[in-house]
Structure formats: structure tokens, C-alpha cells
């Protein structure tokens, strides 16, 4: 195999790698674990986000995809798409955009229930053996522990004769009935677990004190699998049937969790053995990849998961380097597109134990929806596409510093804000919803989603509104050119229309299928990072959420994270997740006739709200 040298400039650091000649640069960069390039389409050459700058070297000619997605100015500056450009000889390049964390939703509902975790330490005193009492060490230990306790990991048995004789006291860690660790002396003061929400976009870990229930530290970051695709389908496509590629993505998330684990230990001033368990939830694809199950069949009809069961796995079974006493507890999922994250969300909102009818809406690359109460819960998932995460929006970006996250203009004057007040670099989900509402409110776009001619904009002078530029293919509403040109185009508006139509139709279909009226719905829980940051008024104006429910909307933050925390702190909550898994119903929308009709109706924006000029 012929190899070539790659030099990468990433800010002040320089990384040198040897790569295969003819390899595309996205693939080459994905070999560097600490690098995550934004690549929402997973290398198909359709999103245009994997821009890099070639400083020198021997690179393959521009592909038709690059000619379509890069402008002349960019091409003249050496900008290329990493997934299209191939290294034909030594190459030197620099990043334009790597992924940085910005608005990651880590807040959720505080845990208020009793602390009775599945994983706990028990300190005990064993009787010394004598010639009259020759019970084996294992029996001596088990008789002091709750009935049914057992040793499963043989290495514990090997340790036992020594630990039991080192001190009068011995501390056993139990995960349910399994003894997962033995320590001499009383270490029962230090009992911790991590609760991890593995999102497609972000990963959040909470370090929990299993004695007090307190959150001792919170760590987060963008999901390091993002350079293999922004949404689950791109990542499933990348993996295909190749076990090596599955392993590569599994390693990415395992390593990321190992890093969050180390950071949490440092922040809370703890030692390695102080954490005994890691509880995790994510969508079904994330759970498959994490546990090393090929997610391929999730993406093709009839959408069958390999498993949706709760799993308790050891570091050895996963290939993780974390200490062997740790148990990974993976929450159960419901179906291919209602994952453990939604099960955790249902748990944390309390809707499955309440008499009130509640609607839970979690908007990400899919819109996941649950409706019901203690008697019945119906769920569905809509393929919303990644528009609200900025992926297929031309200037779209995640919630990173510099992303336009708010757009307002009640009186028609365009105003906007960026995350952390940084110079504008793009527009993220909450900004996209606001922008759409603004365009509709001012009459720049009509209810069919078509940009109007400037003469139809109304009385407000156009210079206060921003302005449109058009070519034969697309019209672009220029938001700013201060730092970089950031615009919102006719094509973008069409993407938003598809995504909002899909989610709104999912909500309407579920409500109809449940037989409940709008009046009966007492709470609307808006979950997830996106749900927390969007302006509810804009979401109502564009018809993403039903107007009838406007006074009942509450944002619940990271409902998945809150749910995982509950399961780590209380074994009954973990059991309740399995009850939700067994009783909640899943409605497949792709073959649902009513959904198709609702989708067509919800493609348009609400006409009645477009009166603010
Ligand atoms: Fe390269 Fe999408 S265009 S990852």
C-alpha cells in the first residue's frame, strides 16, 4: 500500500499522520481520534459542511459536488470539501471549522425522589475462620450479604482470600445481586455513578453521589461520532455491514465516555475506584453502536432493532479500558425510532404515573413524540431531517459560539443575537425557527413558503428588513455580512417546511389516534437542547406546535439526562423504564394513512398568524 504524509494545522497545534495514497481527506481525518470535523451528510458530498483549506500538496481535482457547493472565492483560496478531495501525494491542510461545544443542554429536572440505587456498597465484618469453622471464604462473604448475592466475575473470587484477610472490615459493591468489587476496610462513603445521555449531537455525563443523590459534576461535549455523519442514518450508512467501521464508531463513543469519566473524577476530586456504574440512554441507534450491535436493520423496513432490552455490560464486554468493577447499565428502548432517551424522558416527566394527559415532544434530527398518561402511552417518531440542527441549511450550524440563535423584529426591524456574542458564523436551530417566523411575519415569505417579491413585502422599508439576492436557482435573504455572509435561502425555507410539517403532522396523528381532544392535554413537555432554546412564540407562529396548546407548553431541558439520573439513583425507576418499554405503544407513521394526509396539510405555514407587517 502506497502511503503519503499529511500535515494538519489545527489552531496552534500541528498533527502529522501517514495516510493511504488516494484516501479522501475526511476518511483520513477520521483516523485521528481527537479530531471531529463537521460532516453531517457523512461524506456523500451533499451538505458542503466539511470544508478544509489546502495549504499545499498534491490533491485530486475538484469534483462536480465541490463545484456545486463551493463558490469561486473559496475555490481560489484553496477551500475544498474533505470528503471529496483525495491525497495524491503529501498534503498540508488547515481546518476551517472543527466542532466546538456551544449551547449544550445539561439542565433538567432536579431529582426529588428517594435514593435507593441498584449499585451500592455494603460494608461488613466477616467471622475469622477457625479449625471448627472451615467455611470457604466465598460462603463466609455471601452469608453476610443480601440473599441471592453472587460472584460472577471470577477475578473477584481470586481477590477474595487476600482482601478478606487484610482488614476486619470488607466493602462489597453490589450491582443488583452481582458482587462487582471487593475492597478491604470501609470505603462505603465513596459511592458514585455516572448518568450519561448519548445524543446524536451531544453527550452529557452527570456524576452522581449514590448516597446523597447530589450531582457532583457535569461534563459534556459534542458527540465524537459527528464526523461520520450528523444524523443516525448517515452513521448507519457509514457502518454498513463492516464490523471494523462499527468498531471505529463504538470506540469513538467509548473513548469519549472515558474522557468524561476522567474529567468528572478530577472535578469531584475522586479516585478511579470511586465510580461503580455508568447508566446510559440514547436513541436506539446510539445504543446499538455503543453496545457493538450493528444498527443496519434500523434503517430499512420493517425497521427491526437487534435488541431493545435493558443491558448490564462489563468494560471487558465492550472493549473499554475503564476499571473492571464498573458496570454499564443501558436503559431499554421501545422500537427502532423510540429509544432509551424517550423512555428516560417519559420517566422523568412523570407522565407515565400521572392521571393528566401529557404530550412530550423531543425535536432533534427526528421528532419523537409521546402522548398519554398512566393508563396508556402512545409514541411515534417523525423523520424530521436535520434542518433544525442546521445540517441541511446552507449557513446552518450547530449551537456553537457565533451561531445566530435568536432573530427578532416585531416591528419589522431585523435584529439578531449570536451564541456567546461572537461574530456571526452561521445560524443554528433556534435561529432557524425565529428566522422562519420573521420571514412569515414580515410577509417576505408567504404561507406556502415562497419568498415574495420585494414589492409585496408591505409598508416597512426594505433596508430595515435585510435584503434578498436571487439567482435562477435560489433566493437568499442576507442576514449579515459583518463577519461572514450569513443568509437564509428559499431552499432553507423549504427544508424547514418539510421538517416542521413532519413534526406537526406527527403530533396531530398521535392526538387523533389516542382519541383525546386538545382540551384534555394538560401539559406539553418540550424536551432536548433544541426544545429548550427555541422561542415558543416562533414555534407556534410557524405551526410547529398546535396553537391550541400554547398556554400549556413547558420546557423540560434534558429530559433524557434527568431520566437517566432517576434510574441511577433509584432501582424502582430503572424497573419502571422496563414497564414503559413493555406497555407504551409505538405507532409506525411511514405506513399510516392519516399521517400522510396530516403531513400534506401541515406543509403550509399557518395563514392566520401572518398579519404582523
Ligand atoms: Fe462532505 Fe457533507 S459534503 S461531509
Amino acid at each position: 500500500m502506497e502511503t503519503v504524509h499529511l500535515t494538519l494545522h489545527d489552531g496552534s497545534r500541528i498533527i502529522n499522520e501517514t495516510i493511504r495514497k488516494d484516501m479522501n481527506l475526511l476518511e483520513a481525518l477520521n483516523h485521528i481520534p481527537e479530531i471531529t470535523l463537521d460532516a453531517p451528510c457523512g461524506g456523500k458530498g451533499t451538505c458542503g459542511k466539511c470544508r478544509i483549506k489546502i495549504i499545499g500538496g498534491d490533491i485530486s481535482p475538484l469534483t462536480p459536488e465541490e463545484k456545486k457547493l463551493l463558490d469561486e472565492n473559496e475555490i481560489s483560496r484553496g477551500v475544498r470539501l474533505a470528503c471529496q478531495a483525495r491525497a495524491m501525494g503529501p498534503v498540508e491542510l488547515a481546518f476551517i471549522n472543527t466542532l466546538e461545544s456551544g449551547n449544550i443542554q445539561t439542565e433538567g429536572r432536579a431529582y426529588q425522589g428517594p435514593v435507593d440505587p441498584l449499585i451500592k456498597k455494603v460494608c461488613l465484618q466477616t467471622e475469622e475462620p477457625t479449625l471448627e469453622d472451615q467455611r470457604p471464604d466465598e460462603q463466609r462473604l455471601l452469608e453476610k450479604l443480601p440473599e441471592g448475592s453472587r460472584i460472577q466475575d471470577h477475578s473477584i473470587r481470586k481477590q477474595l482470600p487476600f482482601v478478606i484477610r487484610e482488614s476486619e472490615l470488607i466493602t462489597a459493591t453490589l450491582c443488583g445481586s452481582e458482587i462487582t468489587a471487593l475492597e478491604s476496610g470501609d470505603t462505603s462513603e465513596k459511592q458514585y455513578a455516572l448518568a450519561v445521555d448519548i445524543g446524536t449531537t451531544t453527550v452529557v455525563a452527570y456524576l452522581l453521589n449514590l448516597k446523597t443523590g447530589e450531582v457532583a459534576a457535569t461534563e459534556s461535549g459534542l458527540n465524537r461520532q459527528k464526523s461520520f455523519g450528523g444524523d443516525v442514518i448517515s452513521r448507519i450508512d457509514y457502518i454498513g455491514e463492516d464490523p471494523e467501521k462499527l468498531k471505529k464508531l463504538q470506540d469513538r463513543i467509548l473513548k469519549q465516555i472515558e474522557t468524561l469519566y476522567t474529567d468528572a473524577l478530577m472535578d469531584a476530586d475522586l479516585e478511579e475506584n470511586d465510580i461503580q456504574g455508568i447508566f446510559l440512554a440514547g436513541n436506539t441507534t446510539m445504543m446499538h453502536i455503543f453496545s457493538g450491535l450493528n444498527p443496519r436493520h434500523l434503517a430499512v423496513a420493517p425497521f427491526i432493532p437487534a435488541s431493545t432490552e435493558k443491558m448490564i455490560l462489563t468494560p471487558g464486554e465492550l472493549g473499554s479500558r475503564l476499571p473492571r468493577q464498573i458496570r454499564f447499565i443501558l436503559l431499554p428502548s421501545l422500537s427502532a425510532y423510540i429509544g432509551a432517551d424517550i423512555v428516560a424522558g417519559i420517566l422523568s416527566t412523570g407522565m407515565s404515573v400521572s392521571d393528566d394527559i401529557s404530550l412530550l415532544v423531543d425535536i432533534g434530527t427526528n421528532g419523537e413524540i409521546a402522548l398519554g398518561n398512566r393508563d396508556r402511552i402512545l409514541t411515534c417518531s417523525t423523520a424530521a431531517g436535520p434542518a433544525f440542527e442546521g445540517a441541511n441549511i446552507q449557513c446552518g450550524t450547530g449551537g456553537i459560539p457565533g451561531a445566530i440563535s435568536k432573530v427578532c423584529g416585531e416591528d419589522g426591524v431585523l435584529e439578531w443575537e449570536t451564541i456567546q456574542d461572537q461574530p456571526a458564523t452561521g445560524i443554528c436551530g433556534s435561529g432557524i425557527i425565529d428566522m422562519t417566523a420573521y420571514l412569515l411575519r414580515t410577509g417576505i415569505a408567504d404561507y406556502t413558503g415562497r419568498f415574495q417579491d420585494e414589492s409585496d413585502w408591505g409598508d416597512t422599508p426594505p433596508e430595515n428588513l435585510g435584503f434578498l439576492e436571487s439567482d435562477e436557482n435560489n433566493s437568499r435573504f442576507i442576514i449579515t455580512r459583518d463577519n461572514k455572509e450569513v443568509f437564509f435561502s428559499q431552499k432553507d425555507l423549504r427544508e424547514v417546511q418539510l421538517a416542521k410539517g413532519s413534526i406537526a403532522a406527527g403530533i396531530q396523528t398521535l392526538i387523533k389516534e389516542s382519541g383525546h381532544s386538545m382540551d384534555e392535554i394538560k401539559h406539553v413537555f418540550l424536551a432536548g437542547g433544541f426544545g429548550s432554546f427555541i422561542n415558543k412564540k416562533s414555534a407556534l407562529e410557524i405551526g410547529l406546535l398546535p396553537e391550541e396548546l400554547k398556554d400549556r407548553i413547558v420546557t423540560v431541558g434534558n429530559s433524557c439526562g434527568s431520566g437517566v439520573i432517576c434510574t441511577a439513583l433509584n432501582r424502582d425507576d430503572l424497573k419502571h423504564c422496563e414497564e414503559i418499554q413493555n406497555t407504551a405503544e409505538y405507532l409506525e407513521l411511514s405506513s399510516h394513512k392519516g399521517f400522510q394526509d396530516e403531513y400534506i396539510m401541515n406543509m403550509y405555514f399557518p395563514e392566520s398568524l401572518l398579519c404582523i407587517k
Side-chain angles (χ1 to χ4, degrees):
M1 180 182 68
E2 203 174 339
T3 58
V4 294
H5 192 78
L6 177 139
T7 308
L8 167 68
H9 296 256
D10 178 24
S12 56
R13 62 181 178 158
I14 297 178
I15 298 172
N16 288 298
E17 279 283 315
T18 301
I19 61 167
R20 205 181 65 233
K21 186 179 172 189
D22 204 30
M23 192 179 216
N24 84 51
L25 296 178
L26 179 62
E27 213 185 324
L29 294 170
N30 276 340
H31 277 96
I32 309 173
E34 64 270 37
I35 296 296
T36 309
L37 189 67
D38 199 9
C41 75
K44 291 196 184 83
T46 54
C47 69
K49 305 280 183 201
C50 61
R51 284 168 161 81
I52 45 158
K53 185 172 157 68
I54 303 294
I55 299 169
D58 193 359
I59 293 287
S60 58
L62 285 167
T63 65
E65 285 77 10
E66 288 178 294
K67 286 181 189 155
K68 198 166 128 203
L69 291 164
L70 300 173
D71 64 32
E72 276 171 25
N73 184 329
E74 286 176 310
I75 292 171
S76 68
R77 287 188 291 118
V79 174
R80 298 289 302 264
L81 297 181
C83 68
Q84 300 295 305
R86 285 175 291 116
M88 308 313 291
V91 58
E92 189 172 355
L93 60 98
F95 277 140
I96 298 176
N97 293 321
T98 46
L99 290 168
E100 316 170 56
S101 310
N103 275 354
I104 296 184
Q105 177 55 270
T106 58
E107 301 292 323
R109 296 185 151 192
Y111 180 73
Q112 317 239 306
V115 177
D116 178 21
L118 175 78
I119 294 183
K120 54 176 70 148
K121 283 186 172 182
V122 183
C123 177
L124 44 100
Q125 190 165 18
T126 52
E127 283 107 28
E128 261 189 51
T130 61
L131 285 173
E132 289 71 40
D133 176 7
Q134 292 194 328
R135 286 173 300 160
D137 293 336
E138 184 164 342
Q139 189 180 346
R140 208 173 289 278
L141 172 74
L142 292 181
E143 281 175 3
K144 289 282 177 182
L145 288 169
E147 208 183 322
S149 301
R150 67 193 196 289
I151 294 175
Q152 207 163 301
D153 176 352
H154 191 52
S155 70
I156 304 265
R157 220 169 257 129
K158 288 183 183 166
Q159 266 184 304
L160 178 60
F162 305 98
V163 176
I164 209 166
R165 285 169 180 80
E166 240 170 65
S167 144
E168 278 187 4
L169 295 175
I170 181 167
T171 304
T173 302
L174 288 169
C175 173
S177 55
E178 186 200 350
I179 302 166
T180 55
L182 288 177
E183 293 164 283
S184 65
D186 181 1
T187 65
S188 59
E189 273 313 299
K190 295 211 167 160
Q191 306 190 33
Y192 290 86
L194 275 186
V196 183
D197 161 22
I198 309 178
T200 314
T201 309
T202 58
V203 181
V204 183
Y206 305 88
L207 177 66
L208 304 173
N209 182 323
L210 294 178
K211 289 203 88 171
T212 63
E214 282 165 337
V215 177
T218 303
E219 313 294 337
S220 64
L222 292 169
N223 188 322
R224 293 274 161 205
Q225 297 171 344
K226 271 191 72 123
S227 52
F228 296 87
D231 55 39
V232 294
I233 298 298
S234 315
R235 290 183 210 168
I236 293 172
D237 280 352
Y238 170 79
I239 292 170
E241 291 189 355
D242 187 342
E244 291 294 316
K245 289 183 172 170
L246 171 61
K247 185 77 190 104
K248 195 184 276 183
L249 260 64
Q250 186 192 22
D251 279 351
R252 282 253 165 166
I253 186 66
L254 280 173
K255 288 213 171 69
Q256 181 162 18
I257 287 171
E258 285 166 13
T259 306
L260 297 174
Y261 162 92
T262 312
D263 293 348
L265 285 182
M266 275 168 51
D267 282 356
D269 203 14
L270 297 176
E271 286 166 21
E272 231 188 25
N273 286 339
D274 297 338
I275 295 182
Q276 289 88 37
I278 301 183
F279 292 73
L280 307 110
N283 62 48
T284 311
T285 304
M286 291 302 107
M287 300 310 272
H288 270 58
I289 296 174
F290 181 83
S291 57
L293 298 174
N294 191 302
R296 182 174 162 68
H297 301 289
L298 300 175
V300 286
F303 314 113
I304 304 300
S307 172
T308 51
E309 297 307 306
K310 178 189 92 183
M311 293 177 212
I312 301 184
L313 301 171
T314 63
E317 285 169 316
L318 289 168
S320 163
R321 287 170 310 173
L322 289 182
R324 60 185 311 149
Q325 87 269 5
I326 284 183
R327 290 295 173 272
F328 291 88
I329 295 97
L330 281 66
L331 268 55
S333 303
L334 209 64
S335 69
Y337 290 99
I338 293 291
D341 50 349
I342 303 304
V343 172
I346 291 173
L347 174 83
S348 73
T349 57
M351 60 190 281
S352 53
V353 291
S354 168
D355 288 330
D356 289 351
I357 306 289
S358 303
L359 177 70
L360 170 68
V361 185
D362 191 335
I363 303 170
T365 48
N366 281 329
E368 285 127 354
I369 306 157
L371 175 72
N373 66 358
R374 64 190 312 154
D375 298 325
R376 184 188 186 203
I377 290 188
L378 262 178
T379 64
C380 71
S381 172
T382 63
F388 295 139
E389 300 201 325
N392 47 2
I393 300 297
Q394 287 179 279
C395 291
T397 179
I400 60 170
I404 294 178
S405 58
K406 276 188 189 155
V407 177
C408 47
E410 287 302 329
D411 51 3
V413 179
L414 178 69
E415 288 169 19
W416 45 269
E417 284 175 25
T418 63
I419 295 175
Q420 295 178 13
D421 269 337
Q422 296 291 307
T425 53
I427 183 163
C428 67
S430 54
I432 290 166
I433 300 276
D434 278 355
M435 189 71 235
T436 305
Y438 176 83
L439 293 173
L440 297 170
R441 201 184 300 141
T442 51
I444 296 172
D446 68 10
Y447 78 100
T448 68
R450 198 176 69 84
F451 276 26
Q452 301 284 82
D453 292 336
E454 287 189 20
S455 55
D456 297 326
W457 284 11
D459 299 335
T460 315
E463 56 270 24
N464 287 343
L465 290 168
F467 57 95
L468 278 181
E469 274 187 3
S470 302
D471 55 37
E472 71 275 19
N473 296 321
N474 201 7
S475 300
R476 307 182 312 159
F477 179 83
I478 312 294
I479 305 170
T480 174
R481 280 182 170 142
D482 288 351
N483 170 51
K484 172 184 169 189
E485 182 174 279
V486 181
F487 61 85
F488 193 77
S489 72
Q490 176 70 76
K491 282 185 183 157
D492 296 336
L493 191 56
R494 294 292 182 212
E495 292 288 344
V496 171
Q497 219 168 344
L498 295 175
K500 94 93 195 166
S502 173
I503 291 167
I507 294 174
Q508 296 291 353
T509 308
L510 213 54
I511 293 174
K512 282 192 182 149
E513 194 71 29
S514 72
H516 294 302
S517 66
M518 289 283 184
D519 281 351
E520 285 176 288
I521 300 170
K522 296 285 180 267
H523 316 278
V524 179
F525 299 119
L526 211 48
F530 179 72
S532 306
F533 296 117
I534 58 170
N535 177 331
K536 282 184 250 170
K537 180 172 175 284
S538 299
L540 288 161
E541 278 187 347
I542 72 166
L544 181 63
L545 299 170
E547 204 205 344
E548 299 92 314
L549 300 175
K550 66 173 186 245
D551 299 324
R552 287 163 259 172
I553 301 172
V554 231
T555 50
V556 289
N558 184 357
S559 66
C560 169
S562 305
V564 191
I565 290 175
C566 296
T567 61
L569 293 177
N570 192 309
R571 57 167 81 206
D572 287 341
D573 281 341
L574 184 60
K575 225 181 272 164
H576 188 59
C577 282
E578 292 179 277
E579 285 159 23
I580 295 170
Q581 178 203 16
N582 292 328
T583 55
E585 298 161 48
Y586 174 66
L587 192 67
E588 175 56 50
L589 295 180
S590 60
S591 54
H592 193 284
K593 167 80 177 71
F595 174 73
Q596 302 303 335
D597 298 341
E598 287 290 346
Y599 183 52
I600 292 163
M601 280 194 311
N602 280 282
M603 284 281 291
Y604 289 132
F605 295 110
E607 234 176 317
S608 57
L609 286 165
L610 307 184
C611 53
I612 313 159
K613 292 236 174 178

